[in-house]
Amino acid sequence: MPPENPHTASADRNRRHDGWRTLQRFFPYLWPRDNPGLRWRVVLACALLLVSTEIKLVLPFLFEWAIDAMKVSGPRLLVLPMLTVVAYAGGRFVGVGFDNLRNIVFERVGQEATRKLAEHVFSRLHRLSMRFHLARRTGEVTKVIERGTKSIDTMLYFMLFNIAPTLLSLAQVAAIFWFRFGKDLVAATAAAVVAYIWATRTITDWRTHLRERMNRLDGQALSRAVDSLLNYETVKYFGAEAREEERYAQATRAYADAAVSSENSLGLLNIAQSFVTNLLMAGAFAYTVAGWWHGTYTAGELVFVQMYLLQLFQPLDMLGMVYRTIRQGLTDMADMFRLIDTQVEVADVPGAPALVVGRASVTFDNVVFGYDPDRTILHGLSFQVPAGSRVAIVGPSGAGKSTIGRLLFRFYDPQQGRILIDGQDIRLVTQASLRAALGIVPQDSVLFNDTIGYNIAYGREGASAAEVEAAAQGASISDLLSRLPQGLNTEVGERGLKLSGGEKQRVAIARTLVKNPPILLFDEATSALDTRTEQDILGTMRLVASNRTTISIAHRLSTIVDSDTILVLDQGRLAEQGSHADLLRHDGLYAEMWARQAAENSEDELAEAAQ
């Protein structure tokens, strides 16, 4: 026999204990310390549950009395059976009423627990590092949250209002049978219940693995669909519709096969459950009928036993479905808690103060960083950006230019060295205050699927309409708004695809103007634009950058020639620095890059003239 894989064994052990750990972690949401009103609702719902269960246990006694009263002669022949029948109907009605009152009382508890857990997960996702979000699949993550939150209310209902009263009824019915009919009927009932539970758990545990595989394939299919639709332009560019359809079809076929296996296993479970319950019912009925035939039991007692068995096995018939639902709910909730448990790579130090910016200077002090341990991007990088200056960062692809922006915003922490703003180490201040002092216009300005006004106002919470309009004017999009019938209320579409590249960049600039930060980062903000639009955007950027510390990461050198200082990176190291004229005189890497781009521009101009 092959040795046990320690990782697999650990995973199996964790899976077995997921249920208890998940319940322990979920309990504070169900019994919140800060909301005594919800606690009282839980107590009241449990009290109503107890009353309803006891009423249902009394009903067979009423029916027994009604049957036995039918043997009485005289005027009482009609009165006693009618009274007991009326009492029986009233008891059923009261039991149903208490059940529904219990649901009404508890509904707020379940919804509040679901809401708080969903908000906690959503908040946690926004606190996870960029490394997590670059590796995640959006469709799978949203499916985990959806399944986890939807399972909570159903799982709570079954645990509290099905399993709990069933266990209570089992104990009380066993006691009643013991005192009324002896130990034989109790032993037979107990054996059947144990066999039923064992068969249900054994088959359901096997089905759980099938269900987990089905969920995984379901998430994969959704992830492929979301990924393909988000990148539909790329699909169109390469005529890959059939390829995407086949890729999605592969995922859906795999899911369908897994779903068939899961449903077939459900049929096997139902057969096993039905065999156990019907075997016991047949035996119990034969036992009581034999007792009635020999005169040991009255007709009322015969009906009494039958009603109790039916009442007992009715919830037991649902036990398989209840157990499956709870197991699946615990699995889905455990997946959601695993998202919560994902390690936060970049976190504030305890008691971190807010960043205070007097002079908006930026310093990289011997910074060493790599996305992976075996691949270093920045090798001891050091430079300074004086307050109020305009500094550009250039270099070949892969030199580490965009990495500087990610480190400045503290999406990652360097392995060595420090990054200072106004002399303060950004790792020792709060991330919220750090990012409040920074503004960015990225190469690809992604907008929310809302209005232009909403996207501009997103720069600062609580921005007024006048501030939004002033920012739009400052970003030179007033002409655009005047051509749009709805102006600032124009919908931009998903990721802003209804706007052109230049229009999106201007909205991004306006959003940064609303934020009004002391430090601006332009991360190749014009590299995806045509020359004319680029020049217009550059003019706007120069106006926006006045009286601010500005860092421009650029690919086209012609866009940064007027910078106070140009930093030239090469393989994660500072190769050169100086003004445009100084670097050309130095005749180094910058001069070589300038000459190459100048030659490429001349070729482009000749090609356009030839057309």
Side-chain angles (χ1 to χ4, degrees), residues 14-81:
N14 288 339
R15 186 178 291 112
R16 285 195 295 269
H17 293 293
D18 263 345
W20 296 114
R21 285 206 304 265
T22 301
L23 286 176
Q24 290 172 359
R25 294 190 60 176
F26 180 70
F27 185 76
Y29 295 94
L30 184 63
W31 188 258
R33 295 180 179 179
D34 58 346
N35 196 330
L38 289 183
R39 288 187 170 192
W40 277 111
R41 282 179 175 269
V42 174
V43 173
L44 180 57
C46 291
L48 291 171
L49 169 66
L50 183 62
V51 172
S52 174
T53 302
E54 296 306 316
I55 289 175
K56 291 176 183 177
L57 285 173
V58 171
L59 295 180
F61 283 98
L62 295 175
F63 217 77
E64 177 194 6
W65 297 336
I67 297 295
D68 289 339
M70 294 174 66
K71 297 185 300 182
V72 180
S73 60
R76 296 174 58 195
L77 175 64
L78 180 64
V79 175
L80 287 178

Side-chain angles (χ1 to χ4, degrees), residues 23 26-32 35 37-49 97-115 151-162 164:
L23 286 176
F26 180 70
F27 185 76
Y29 295 94
L30 184 63
W31 188 258
N35 196 330
L38 289 183
R39 288 187 170 192
W40 277 111
R41 282 179 175 269
V42 174
V43 173
L44 180 57
C46 291
L48 291 171
L49 169 66
F98 275 111
D99 282 343
N100 284 275
L101 284 175
R102 174 203 67 199
N103 293 342
I104 292 172
V105 169
F106 191 78
E107 183 62 25
R108 174 61 61 183
V109 179
Q111 291 298 329
E112 284 295 307
T114 302
R115 178 186 65 82
S151 68
I152 293 172
D153 196 44
T154 304
M155 189 186 69
L156 284 177
Y157 177 85
F158 282 132
M159 288 185 64
L160 295 177
F161 305 142
N162 186 280

Side-chain angles (χ1 to χ4, degrees), residues 26 78 124 167 170 183 188 268-269 277 302 329 341 388 485 491 541:
F26 180 70
L78 180 64
R124 183 70 172 189
L167 293 176
L170 275 172
K183 62 182 180 180
L268 179 61
L269 175 62
T277 56
L302 173 62
D341 291 339
E491 298 281 342
M541 287 167 54

Side-chain angles (χ1 to χ4, degrees), residues 281-465:
M281 292 293 290
F285 286 169
Y287 176 82
T288 53
V289 168
W292 170 77
W293 177 260
H294 291 96
T296 306
Y297 304 138
T298 66
E301 287 176 319
L302 173 62
V303 175
F304 175 82
V305 171
Q306 291 175 340
M307 285 193 65
Y308 262 125
L309 288 176
L310 288 172
Q311 189 170 297
L312 181 63
F313 279 102
Q314 185 175 4
L316 280 178
D317 280 341
M318 297 179 60
L319 181 61
M321 187 266 289
V322 171
Y323 181 68
R324 290 192 307 273
T325 302
I326 292 176
R327 279 295 304 268
Q328 186 57 45
L330 290 173
T331 299
D332 293 338
M333 286 177 61
D335 290 340
M336 198 157 56
F337 279 123
R338 273 191 281 274
L339 281 180
I340 295 176
D341 291 339
T342 302
Q343 183 179 1
V344 178
E345 183 179 345
V346 178
D348 292 341
V349 298
L355 176 68
V356 179
V357 181
R359 293 181 55 79
S361 61
V362 177
T363 302
F364 272 58
D365 181 16
N366 195 31
V367 171
V368 176
F369 174 76
Y371 295 104
D372 298 310
D374 55 349
R375 180 171 171 255
T376 302
I377 304 297
L378 302 180
H379 303 267
L381 181 64
S382 296
F383 64 83
Q384 289 187 343
V385 180
S389 64
R390 292 184 299 164
V391 172
I393 302 175
V394 301
S397 297
K401 302 186 297 296
S402 295
T403 299
I404 290 175
R406 291 176 174 178
L407 290 174
L408 187 60
F409 272 86
R410 210 182 165 209
F411 293 156
Y412 303 92
D413 282 333
Q415 279 85 42
Q416 298 179 31
R418 301 182 303 164
I419 302 173
L420 310 175
I421 292 181
D422 197 6
Q424 301 162 73
D425 192 331
I426 64 173
R427 286 179 298 190
L428 304 180
V429 299
T430 61
Q431 297 177 65
S433 63
L434 167 67
R435 290 164 190 157
L438 299 169
I440 185 171
V441 180
Q443 177 181 358
D444 181 18
S445 297
V446 178
L447 305 181
F448 289 96
N449 189 3
D450 210 299
T451 64
I452 293 177
Y454 174 85
N455 279 281
I456 294 176
Y458 198 81
R460 190 181 76 254
E461 186 177 3
S464 65

Side-chain angles (χ1 to χ4, degrees), residues 245-258:
E245 290 169 7
E246 175 58 26
R247 187 166 175 262
Y248 179 66
Q250 289 176 355
T252 54
R253 282 195 295 268
Y255 169 75
D257 292 340

